[in-house]
Amino acid sequence: MAMPTTPIGDLCGVIAGAYAISTSDGCRFLVDMDECLTVRLGSSDEVLIGREQARSDRPLVVATCRIGEPMVLLVDRGIPNVEFTRRETASVTRIDRLLRPPQLDRLDT
């Protein structure tokens, strides 16, 4: 069963909600502004992403995320003395607002 979604064209300036981002190289990412995390998704929406399967970064700023352009995020990786890390993806092909975000294992435990 797939996650219910609403397609949108631009994530810039959004400060709430959870979004599945698909890119031209076949990758998919979850950007959850409410839970302050971003993870790379597996091939199925039904896969529970846990600490062992995903790297978690806390998004600080969505610099660019619109269809046809790379997604650029500034993230906090929790590294001492490093204010942020810039993450860039391949060109975005789809942005879906998740009406019910997937349940993730706690990534901070």
Side-chain angles (χ1 to χ4, degrees):
M1 177 194 227
M3 290 182 280
T5 64
T6 299
I8 62 173
D10 189 335
L11 195 57
C12 298
V14 172
I15 59 170
Y19 304 86
I21 313 298
S22 300
T23 59
S24 61
D25 60 358
C27 292
R28 295 182 62 241
F29 300 89
L30 169 67
V31 176
D32 190 330
M33 304 304 277
D34 299 329
E35 295 293 325
C36 288
L37 66 90
T38 179
V39 294
R40 187 168 171 178
L41 291 172
S43 59
S44 170
D45 291 340
E46 297 171 291
V47 173
L48 294 181
I49 304 297
R51 190 178 4 191
E52 303 305 318
Q53 296 119 331
R55 181 185 66 227
S56 175
D57 295 326
R58 190 172 65 85
L60 300 172
V61 174
V62 177
T64 304
C65 186
R66 58 180 56 97
I67 294 175
E69 297 180 19
M71 176 172 65
V72 178
L73 301 173
L74 302 183
V75 298
D76 176 2
R77 297 197 57 216
I79 300 171
N81 301 317
V82 176
E83 290 185 44
F84 64 86
T85 300
R86 183 180 188 271
R87 293 271 183 233
E88 183 172 342
T89 68
S91 294
V92 173
T93 57
R94 186 175 174 99
I95 304 169
D96 289 302
R97 180 179 172 109
L98 303 178
L99 304 179
R100 189 179 60 226
Q103 296 299 309
L104 304 178
D105 291 343
R106 296 244 352 142
L107 298 172
D108 59 352
T109 59

